[in-house]
């Protein structure tokens, strides 16, 4: 896929230093951007790359296909919704082993 910027550059995952939630969160201002709708976020960043792990890059829009919330009231609300979406999409690289 042709990305609007390098997924590992300073606009992306900062040279592979930031992944998943961190990449999504750095695109918004906690004090100024809320409440925020999913539609607004995807409209602005939908084609941006998000590095999930060392071998997986997906678009913001792909992740938001799994977001079940239309609006986020604050930063923690945004994080919870995105965490659920990443898990639902099987894009959460950390797994807990259940005994």
């Amino acid at each position: 896929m042709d990305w609007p910027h390098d997924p590992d550059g300073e606009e992306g995952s900062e040279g592979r230093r930031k992944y998943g939630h961190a990449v999504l969160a750095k695109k918004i201002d906690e004090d100024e951007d809320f409440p925020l709708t999913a539609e607004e976020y995807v409209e602005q960043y939908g084609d941006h790359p998000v590095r999930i792990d060392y071998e997986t890059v997906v678009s913001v829009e792909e992740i938001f296909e799994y977001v079940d919330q239309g609006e986020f009231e604050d930063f923690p609300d945004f994080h919870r919704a995105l965490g659920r979406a990443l898990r639902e999409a099987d894009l959460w690289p950390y797994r807990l082993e259940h005994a």
Side-chain angles (χ1 to χ4, degrees), residues 44-63:
Q44 187 166 1
Y45 303 111
D47 64 344
H48 286 208
V50 177
R51 179 162 292 286
I52 300 300
D53 58 30
Y54 73 96
E55 61 186 358
T56 309
V57 177
V58 298
S59 70
V60 168
E61 186 172 30
E62 287 177 72
I63 294 168

Side-chain angles (χ1 to χ4, degrees), residues 10-65:
E10 289 304 310
E11 291 181 65
S13 61
E14 297 182 11
R16 293 191 180 198
R17 292 187 302 275
K18 295 195 177 199
Y19 295 80
H21 262 116
V23 174
L24 295 163
K26 75 178 191 172
K27 296 179 181 302
I28 54 179
D29 183 315
E30 184 174 358
D31 296 322
E32 295 182 16
D33 291 341
F34 293 96
L36 175 69
T37 68
E39 183 178 346
E40 291 170 321
Y41 192 88
V42 171
E43 186 176 301
Q44 187 166 1
Y45 303 111
D47 64 344
H48 286 208
V50 177
R51 179 162 292 286
I52 300 300
D53 58 30
Y54 73 96
E55 61 186 358
T56 309
V57 177
V58 298
S59 70
V60 168
E61 186 172 30
E62 287 177 72
I63 294 168
F64 269 77
E65 289 175 14

